[in-house]
Amino acid sequence: MSVVAIVGAQWGDEGKGKIVDIYTEFADVVVRYAGGPNAGHTLVVGDERLVVRLLPSGILRQGCVCVLGQGMVVDPSVLLSEIDELGRRGHPDVSKRLVLSDRAHLILPYHVLVDTLRETSAPEGRALGTTKKGIGPAYEDKARRTGIRAGELRDFKGMRERIGAAIDAWTPTVRALGGERPNLDEIVGALEGCAARLVPLLGDTSALVNDAVRAKKRVMLEGAQGTLLDVDHGTYPFVTSSSAVAGGASIGAGIGPNRIDTVIGITKAYTTRVGAGPFPTELGDKDGEHLREVGAEFGSVTGRPRRTGWLDLPALRYAARVNGFDGLALTKLDVLTALPRIKVCVAYDTPSGRTTDFPIDFLDRPAMMKPVYVEHEGWKEKLEGARVLDELPSAARAYIRFLETETGAPIYLVSVGPRRAETIVLHNPFVGRAAAP
């Protein structure tokens, strides 16, 4: 298989960074195809912990070309700060392996300003819980054809005029929210300081990726966020502003959908969510606190505590349907250790009866739907040392088999700890066999 798409199967934060990092040992090209710096992917290599927000998770693999695709929105200052941070950590060659699509849209200070003002001024209960990184407003500009694309860094005269027009368009909104008109000179001046370093990174990434596919190179398409945050298929309006599903990989990378050979969904052994919005299996008890503390469930970008709950199988089956998962990577199984009983939502009771479908259109009316749980036996043994399934406790193996049966998707990988080595690889989509990280 030459093209593999990695997709979050929940509300994001499923551990995509680690899984992409493992599989990209075998990849030639890795492409971030959507989202922006609101999506932090955590990589743990040895004792080093690194959070990347824009850079693809394959950036630590020396032989891998990393692409920021045209479906992304990119904050120039954040991108350069990540490159510099990697340089300080002993990875000075990042820019040599990085290509930024000249069609990717830029996040500029007025996007961040609008995002922040909207969130902080929203009436109680109406805020969406965004990361205030300017993602939504940048995609708004893209949709209304007033956005600034990275390729425009080559032409400051034309870009200055277009930024001025965008500021004119946003100023009534900014003032209505209590802010002041953004300063054009300051914004353009900051961009001029970034351009010298960013322009050499620009390229036609659609052509690059297509050439790689035709040459039978191994390409990883790395998603951000998760299926339930997708702007079309998620729990709207509490969603992100981009396409986080497998279909978005084709658009954001600039290749035909028939070029994608394998789609892998990433799911935690439980469920988390950051920000506002419905969460039917959310826990507010000691079990929920266990998941948060043991799983270190705090936002990698914001540090916000994540909401935690039991695994939702109807939601996972829904994600499998809209993405067409060929297989699943199961993360954070080790976090369930020491829980005497583990619950899994298998269905919902609704006014129309019990359903195994995910009632996504009724999530804002919790009185009309009640999760139905089954209980599984827990285990006390630590899992971090397991490298094959037979080394897991019988209860953990039974949990994995149950998830495979209920979702209809084989488990490709089981993560039993944050480090690369703390992984059971059952199937490698690039080579078709198990391969230890």
Side-chain angles (χ1 to χ4, degrees), residues 17 44 50 53 68 96 118 167 192 289 304-305 326 338 410:
V44 180
L50 176 69
R53 291 167 287 174
L68 303 180
K96 298 178 182 178
R118 282 174 173 170
I167 290 175
E192 287 178 333
E289 190 59 30
R304 290 183 295 179
D326 294 290

Side-chain angles (χ1 to χ4, degrees), residues 139-155:
Y139 276 113
E140 287 180 53
D141 266 355
K142 178 179 179 177
R144 65 183 181 184
R145 299 176 293 280
T146 56
I148 308 299
R149 300 200 292 186
E152 296 182 59
L153 290 170
R154 302 181 179 116
D155 174 20

Side-chain angles (χ1 to χ4, degrees), residues 29-239:
V29 180
V30 58
V31 185
R32 264 286 302 273
Y33 62 81
N38 56 336
H41 291 175
T42 302
L43 310 176
V44 180
V45 182
D47 294 326
E48 183 179 22
R49 181 180 183 272
L50 176 69
V51 177
V52 292
R53 291 167 287 174
L54 286 171
L55 293 173
S57 299
I59 199 66
L60 296 183
R61 299 292 187 181
Q62 293 298 315
C64 192
V65 174
C66 291
V67 174
L68 303 180
Q70 62 198 51
M72 292 187 67
V73 287
V74 176
D75 186 319
S77 62
V78 173
L79 177 57
L80 291 176
S81 70
E82 287 193 32
I83 293 172
D84 291 341
E85 176 63 19
L86 280 169
R88 287 190 290 270
R89 295 195 182 205
H91 305 280
D93 65 334
V94 168
S95 295
K96 298 178 182 178
R97 296 185 288 111
L98 186 66
V99 184
L100 168 62
S101 172
D102 52 15
R103 297 184 182 184
H105 281 247
L106 299 181
I107 299 173
L108 297 175
Y110 47 84
H111 297 132
V112 179
L113 175 63
V114 170
D115 200 1
T116 301
L117 290 173
R118 282 174 173 170
E119 284 294 295
T120 55
S121 64
E124 185 175 356
R126 298 292 298 277
L128 296 177
T130 78
T131 55
K132 305 183 187 72
K133 302 297 181 182
I135 311 299
Y139 276 113
E140 287 180 53
D141 266 355
K142 178 179 179 177
R144 65 183 181 184
R145 299 176 293 280
T146 56
I148 308 299
R149 300 200 292 186
E152 296 182 59
L153 290 170
R154 302 181 179 116
D155 174 20
F156 266 89
K157 181 179 179 181
M159 187 177 65
R160 181 185 179 89
E161 293 177 1
R162 287 177 35 74
I163 291 176
I167 290 175
D168 289 341
W170 280 115
T171 295
T173 299
V174 169
R175 286 177 173 162
L177 293 170
E180 297 183 0
R181 178 185 173 87
N183 187 296
L184 174 62
D185 291 333
E186 290 180 0
I187 292 172
V188 173
L191 280 176
E192 287 178 333
C194 297
R197 297 179 62 188
L198 292 180
V199 168
L201 304 180
L202 296 176
D204 183 346
T205 55
S206 173
L208 183 157
V209 178
N210 271 279
D211 287 346
V213 173
R214 284 197 296 269
K216 304 298 182 184
K217 292 185 177 181
R218 294 166 175 172
V219 179
M220 176 72 76
L221 307 178
E222 177 185 0
Q225 309 294 338
T227 299
L228 299 180
L229 290 175
D230 183 89
V231 68
D232 291 301
H233 300 286
T235 51
Y236 192 89
F238 298 96
V239 294

